[in-house]
Amino acid sequence: MNDVVKCTSRNIPLPIQREVRQRCGFGCVICGMPLYEYEHMMEWAEVKRHVVDEITLLCDQHHREKTGGLLPREIVEEANRNPFNLREGVKKPYDLHFRGAEAEIVIGGNKFTCKDQGYGTFMIPVSVDGVPLVGFVLTDGHLLLNMVVFNEFNVPVMHIKNNQLFQSTIPWDIQLVGTCLTIREGKGDILIEIIFNPPNKITINRGRFLKNGVEILVRPTNILIINNASFISNCSAHNCSGGLIVGHHENRIGGFMTVESVSRLNRNLEAALAFEKECLARR
Ligand SMILES: [Zn+2]
């Protein structure tokens, strides 16, 4: 904390940016918006230094208001001491702009596509124990993305409900930059990276889907289910309600790969990684 970096560059060093994000609850301190800019509370021209405690997060609107003089510094400082997202607990959702009659989800190079076939069309590429982890619902011309990300403690840390993105303050770091949402559990430890390609596509090339002891690794060119060392690569499914369906599902979903029973206790990470290596070498 309080690293003073006297410098001539306005670029804030990345570790300082991260500390600011964590302190501000990953959103604008005034309204909680997950799209923000880093704001020196004291005039940059005067201080010319990057100190964690002197930098805060403001969304575009509140940044403009501050710069234009409509939002006084005292109010920003007050919000910085008690940021919206930490105060409110539940964050204000951010609306994603998905639409159309066709949807596409790419996970680890595997492609899931779907066309609206009337009311209630849905596509769930990954589901564990009856919980859809990622999917689109296509209904009446609307295209609705739904997603939930769990951490190692089986706690949901990010939710997208019908195109509304709800972050939480549980993860170590969460960042929405451009179209890319990254959730980290520690330094260099990416829980998941989601690229939104509106109007109708998302891509996941890195990360882990975790739920009830099931661990599904996502790599740029494959998926690996750790529990039973399943390697999935270069698959594509069209108009298939389910993709990778793991564990018991009360309401059965037809999928291109259904794995009813996987052990949650005797999973062997090393064996699974060795098998993945073998598969990749064979290609
Ligand atoms: Zn704001």
Side-chain angles (χ1 to χ4, degrees), residues 5-12 44 47-50:
V5 184
K6 240 330 184 195
C7 49
T8 49
S9 167
R10 285 200 73 132
N11 296 330
I12 302 167
W44 166 258
V47 293
K48 287 215 163 85
R49 62 183 182 185
H50 301 301

Side-chain angles (χ1 to χ4, degrees), residues 18-165:
R18 195 223 325 122
E19 265 195 61
V20 173
R21 284 198 296 278
Q22 290 169 331
R23 199 198 66 233
C24 297
F26 313 120
C28 170
V29 287
I30 305 269
C31 71
M33 171 76 132
L35 290 171
Y36 44 74
E37 289 154 27
Y38 297 84
E39 164 75 3
H40 285 88
M41 285 182 281
M42 308 216 269
E43 285 310 312
W44 166 258
E46 289 168 29
V47 293
K48 287 215 163 85
R49 62 183 182 185
H50 301 301
V51 180
V52 170
D53 292 344
E54 294 174 1
I55 302 168
T56 194
L57 302 182
L58 288 181
C59 69
D60 192 41
Q61 183 199 329
H62 288 120
H63 195 229
R64 275 167 198 243
E65 286 183 1
K66 163 116 192 316
T67 312
L70 283 169
L71 176 62
R73 190 160 100 187
E74 302 83 77
I75 293 182
V76 174
E77 284 173 349
E78 200 182 296
N80 176 64
R81 281 193 295 275
N82 192 12
F84 181 95
N85 284 340
L86 300 182
R87 195 168 69 228
E88 298 295 315
V90 177
K91 308 184 125 201
K92 187 163 97 175
Y94 171 71
D95 289 326
L96 292 158
H97 305 282
F98 287 106
R99 55 187 276 184
E102 264 188 274
E104 182 177 333
I105 299 183
V106 177
I107 304 174
N110 300 280
K111 194 165 142 183
F112 306 86
T113 51
C114 185
K115 260 193 177 169
D116 191 348
Q117 294 151 65
Y119 185 76
T121 307
F122 66 89
M123 167 176 81
I124 302 171
V126 182
S127 184
V128 175
D129 297 343
V131 179
L133 299 184
V134 57
F136 271 116
V137 175
L138 297 93
T139 180
D140 301 330
H142 295 288
L143 179 57
L144 305 170
L145 177 65
N146 284 275
M147 187 165 181
V148 55
V149 174
F150 291 86
N151 65 11
E152 289 192 6
F153 303 98
N154 222 28
V155 174
V157 297
M158 192 279 298
H159 241 124
I160 298 169
K161 292 179 193 167
N162 294 334
N163 290 346
Q164 290 201 309
L165 165 66

Side-chain angles (χ1 to χ4, degrees), residues 166-186:
F166 296 85
Q167 292 186 167
S168 90
T169 48
I170 300 169
W172 184 76
D173 192 14
I174 181 160
Q175 224 183 342
L176 177 59
V177 177
T179 58
C180 184
L181 179 76
T182 310
I183 303 172
R184 289 185 177 84
E185 288 293 83

Side-chain angles (χ1 to χ4, degrees), residues 221-234:
T221 60
N222 68 276
I223 296 172
L224 181 70
I225 306 176
I226 295 296
N227 305 64
N228 64 355
S230 290
F231 180 89
I232 304 141
S233 173
N234 274 326

Side-chain angles (χ1 to χ4, degrees), residues 194-212:
I194 308 149
I195 299 160
F196 301 115
N197 312 109
N200 66 343
K201 182 181 170 185
I202 70 161
T203 305
I204 301 167
N205 285 331
R206 286 204 282 180
R208 290 183 294 159
F209 284 103
L210 304 167
K211 179 68 186 156
N212 296 348

